[in-house]
Amino acid sequence: MQNRNQLFDFAVEQHATDIHICAGAPVQFRIGGKLKPVTEEQLTPEKSRQLCYEMLTTEQIQKFEDNLDFDLMLAYNIARFRINVGYFNGAVGATVRVLAGEPKTPDELFLPETVKTLAQKEKGLVLITGSTSQGKTTTMSSMIDFINTTQKKHIVTIEDPIEYVHTNKKGIVRQREVGRDTKSFASGLRAALRQDPDVIAIGEMRDYETIKIALTAAETGILVLSTLHVISIDKMIERILSYAPDEGENTIRFLLAETLQGVVHQELLPLITGGQRVACEIMTTTTGTKNIIRRKGGYHLRSVVDTGKKYGMCTMVESIESLLEQKLISPETAKRVLANYS
């Protein structure tokens, strides 16, 4: 693979989720959750820089050299690539996420029916949670596509960067990229409130101002979708409150209790046959959920999920056991993931 296009073509052909370009190592693809070398030779610093710079324009190279880091999205053939270029021990390298050109449907992702139910809510907050690289953005995009396909709604997204491009179907989807179309998540969110939205999708809630505006929007009758980096549902309240100043904690608790419609927490697992599948834990809002958010620690949410099947909830244990029964994942994979949910 002597150039960028050959690299991208081969990554798509091999169903890779990520490409790693690093001086002193071969080019590596992440396939089925594991890194796999795809070149025999190790990259020299010069070759690593050449491959990385082929992904950038002259102007972008200048910005990268000024800032030492650079993020961008690149469309090529049938796929899109989310690229981070940086310096590593003095050499230029890159990590590239390989994305489908179009969003997948909830059915194509094998998501539980409750995910569609949450996407049909008229108002409130729906969170997609998980640690890094667990497919949160892919799930949120599938929910946006489901709304866009089935309802006449105006959907405004605020993303950094835009990963999946939506076309207008029954509804209208207007996508804004932070840094290009709006200065920040918070400023884009404030503007979205003046754009007659039915649905607002926020790429990530990662500061107090964005969280407060999002919750206020959800309270006023807009459906708000967003992702949140958290390792489990019972850590959700703690994570959100960590962004709030002491004097804002009660306000956030109240707004979250009043607006939260549900949480989809997920783990992206390697399949025995290759590829990946999401395992989900889902919490929907009940009176008990609201009381816990208002008054108690998040660890009490575990008991709500464990006993909430009639409300459309499911536990990670149930999801993992279903994948095991279908012989889609290995016992080793199940054991590794469930160690965090005991």
Side-chain angles (χ1 to χ4, degrees):
M1 288 168 288
Q2 298 299 314
N3 59 51
R4 181 203 74 175
N5 292 353
Q6 290 176 333
L7 186 67
F8 286 172
D9 285 336
F10 191 50
V12 171
E13 179 186 320
Q14 295 295 308
H15 304 289
T17 58
D18 298 89
I19 304 167
H20 290 269
I21 300 170
C22 178
V27 175
Q28 300 195 53
F29 290 172
R30 187 174 295 278
I31 301 173
K34 296 181 178 180
L35 288 178
K36 175 184 176 182
V38 294
T39 59
E40 293 184 2
E41 76 282 0
Q42 294 186 350
L43 295 176
T44 63
E46 293 76 17
K47 183 60 177 178
S48 180
R49 184 180 64 220
Q50 175 197 328
L51 281 173
C52 294
Y53 278 14
E54 285 181 4
M55 303 177 192
L56 307 177
T57 65
T58 302
E59 182 182 359
Q60 289 169 339
I61 290 171
Q62 185 61 57
K63 287 182 179 179
F64 164 65
E65 292 179 347
D66 288 343
N67 299 321
L68 306 183
D69 287 288
F70 194 80
D71 294 299
L72 73 151
M73 288 295 304
L74 193 63
Y76 172 72
N77 279 348
I78 62 170
R80 287 168 60 81
F81 301 86
R82 187 182 72 195
I83 302 165
N84 170 264
V85 184
Y87 279 96
F88 303 89
N89 198 25
V92 178
T95 303
V96 182
R97 173 62 53 87
V98 184
L99 303 165
E102 296 180 352
K104 293 183 180 294
T105 68
D107 291 339
E108 288 173 329
L109 297 175
F110 300 94
L111 295 170
E113 284 297 309
T114 304
V115 173
K116 292 182 184 178
T117 302
L118 291 172
Q120 291 173 316
K121 297 291 185 181
E122 291 294 319
K123 61 182 179 179
L125 174 69
V126 176
L127 290 174
I128 301 96
T129 67
S131 54
T132 302
S133 300
Q134 298 305 313
K136 298 184 295 298
T137 300
T138 301
T139 293
M140 187 169 75
S141 293
S142 78
M143 296 175 76
I144 294 169
D145 184 68
F146 180 72
I147 297 168
N148 185 30
T149 302
T150 60
Q151 302 175 66
K152 295 180 179 179
K153 295 290 182 73
H154 178 209
I155 306 162
V156 178
T157 77
I158 305 153
E159 305 170 70
D160 181 21
I162 291 172
E163 295 192 8
Y164 295 91
V165 176
H166 295 269
T167 57
N168 297 328
K169 297 179 180 178
K170 274 195 174 182
I172 300 172
V173 184
R174 302 168 87 174
Q175 297 179 260
R176 307 191 75 198
E177 184 169 299
V178 173
R180 184 191 68 184
D181 304 314
T182 185
K183 288 188 175 180
S184 66
F185 281 112
S187 62
L189 186 50
R190 279 195 299 270
L193 297 177
R194 301 189 294 271
Q195 292 162 356
D196 187 35
D198 298 298
V199 181
I200 298 175
I202 309 165
E204 186 182 348
M205 295 206 303
R206 57 190 183 197
D207 62 76
Y208 176 63
E209 187 177 11
T210 299
I211 290 169
K212 188 173 181 181
I213 299 170
L215 291 173
T216 302
E219 186 185 35
T220 60
I222 297 167
L223 178 62
V224 178
L225 309 176
S226 189
T227 71
L228 185 71
H229 286 288
V230 65
I231 60 172
S232 64
I233 281 178
D234 48 311
K235 300 293 184 183
M236 174 198 67
I237 300 173
E238 180 183 329
R239 177 68 170 172
I240 290 175
L241 292 179
S242 71
Y243 292 107
D246 291 342
E247 65 273 14
E249 181 174 319
N250 288 336
T251 299
I252 294 298
R253 278 190 180 274
F254 174 80
L255 288 172
L256 187 61
E258 291 302 307
T259 62
L260 187 67
Q261 294 284 4
V263 181
V264 180
H265 182 77
Q266 56 188 57
E267 301 267 359
L268 193 58
L269 309 181
L271 298 178
I272 292 173
T273 55
Q276 295 173 297
R277 178 77 63 85
V278 163
C280 280
E281 181 163 77
I282 297 181
M283 184 187 76
T284 57
T285 300
T286 63
T287 301
T289 311
K290 291 182 177 182
N291 288 335
I292 289 169
I293 294 172
R294 287 192 189 102
R295 302 187 182 94
K296 300 179 182 179
Y299 58 88
H300 291 283
L301 293 176
R302 176 61 49 202
S303 61
V304 171
V305 176
D306 288 341
T307 59
K309 190 169 185 177
K310 66 181 178 180
Y311 300 108
M313 301 191 211
C314 67
T315 67
M316 186 61 71
V317 173
E318 291 168 338
S319 185
I320 295 289
E321 287 179 347
S322 174
L323 293 174
L324 267 176
E325 288 172 7
Q326 298 174 67
K327 295 183 170 31
L328 292 172
I329 62 172
S330 68
E332 292 76 19
T333 295
K335 183 179 180 180
R336 172 178 59 80
V337 176
L338 290 179
N340 298 318
Y341 294 88
S342 58

